[in-house]
Amino acid sequence: MKKQVEDKKAALLQAALNLFTEKGFHGTSTAQISKEAGVATGTLFNYFPTKEDLINGLYFDVKGKLSRSMSKDVDFQSTFKDKFRKMWYNLIEWGLNNQEDFRFVDQFCSSPYITNYTREVVMEEYVFYHDLVMEGITNGEFGDYPEGMIISMFYQSSRTIVDFILYSEPLDKNKAIEDGFEIIWKGLTKR
């Protein structure tokens, strides 16, 4: 029974992701999401009482996946630059391999659905990243920039590199990722 519940919820989240990135939040109805997921509309409301709850639930799900991907295989005993670079590579690879999810995060962050509560809940998933940024600030690796600015520059720059790789002429993907890292590294650090 639990598997069936998880399958329905996953189907609803996937259908919502597909439709929101294609038609937008306002252009997508809960009936369309239910139909795409192959469940009754009433079933959707069993999992997500409102459309806003569904949108936020999807955001939490996607950001959780991104968080796990960013920290994957990071050697937290290595140098600060190596940890920062590994998270960069992980973020870019995740964006390239999960383009719909990546677009959804951007779409959500520019929407009226994001609230301070949403931000706070999601940031709990990224303690490792905040700790790394604070390590860079405390150890003098970064220039005299606010933590939030560093985090935003890192993420927004990753979006630029993902788009560059996806929409440019054939190129050396790893070189583009490394060049992007060097640009962000030189821009944020004191070196």
Side-chain angles (χ1 to χ4, degrees):
M1 183 68 167
K2 185 178 178 185
K3 174 98 169 97
Q4 185 179 18
V5 168
E6 289 173 4
D7 290 346
K8 285 182 182 179
K9 186 174 181 181
L12 286 164
L13 290 171
Q14 186 60 52
L17 178 66
N18 297 344
L19 291 168
F20 290 149
T21 56
E22 179 186 334
K23 298 180 179 196
F25 297 127
H26 299 294
T28 303
S29 70
T30 53
Q32 290 170 315
I33 294 168
S34 297
K35 183 177 179 184
E36 174 91 6
V39 301
T41 303
T43 301
L44 182 148
F45 292 117
N46 287 333
Y47 296 99
F48 305 101
T50 67
K51 184 176 176 182
E52 186 173 302
D53 290 329
L54 172 59
I55 293 168
N56 279 282
L58 179 59
Y59 182 68
F60 295 144
D61 182 65
V62 169
K63 288 293 280 190
K65 292 174 188 172
L66 173 55
S67 168
R68 289 185 293 280
S69 293
M70 275 182 69
S71 62
K72 185 177 181 200
D73 298 327
V74 173
D75 178 1
F76 286 96
Q77 302 305 312
S78 64
T79 67
F80 175 77
K81 185 174 183 178
D82 287 343
K83 290 182 280 193
F84 203 64
R85 176 185 279 120
K86 181 63 177 166
M87 284 188 196
W88 173 262
Y89 270 79
N90 287 348
L91 177 55
I92 301 296
E93 288 293 342
W94 185 84
L96 292 170
N97 295 325
N98 300 279
Q99 295 171 34
E100 212 170 33
D101 298 66
F102 209 56
R103 279 195 313 274
F104 173 77
V105 169
D106 184 43
Q107 180 183 18
F108 183 87
C109 290
S110 302
S111 79
Y113 293 102
I114 194 159
T115 64
N116 286 335
Y117 171 77
T118 307
R119 284 185 186 97
E120 288 171 15
V121 170
V122 165
M123 286 305 115
E124 292 171 12
E125 290 269 347
Y126 290 84
V127 171
F128 67 91
Y129 179 59
H130 285 275
D131 289 349
L132 181 65
V133 170
M134 288 309 299
E135 177 186 333
I137 291 169
T138 303
N139 294 343
E141 294 281 352
F142 289 129
D144 189 24
Y145 308 118
E147 176 190 11
M149 182 184 288
I150 294 167
I151 290 168
S152 292
M153 291 297 294
F154 185 83
Y155 182 75
Q156 297 301 328
S157 297
S158 75
R159 288 183 46 234
T160 300
I161 297 302
V162 168
D163 286 347
F164 178 73
I165 292 169
L166 291 174
Y167 304 114
S168 294
E169 295 295 318
L171 52 79
D172 181 341
K173 177 183 83 167
N174 288 329
K175 181 174 180 353
I177 296 172
E178 183 61 25
D179 288 348
F181 175 77
E182 286 301 322
I183 290 168
I184 191 89
W185 180 255
K186 289 174 185 171
L188 291 176
T189 59
K190 291 183 176 182
R191 295 183 181 107

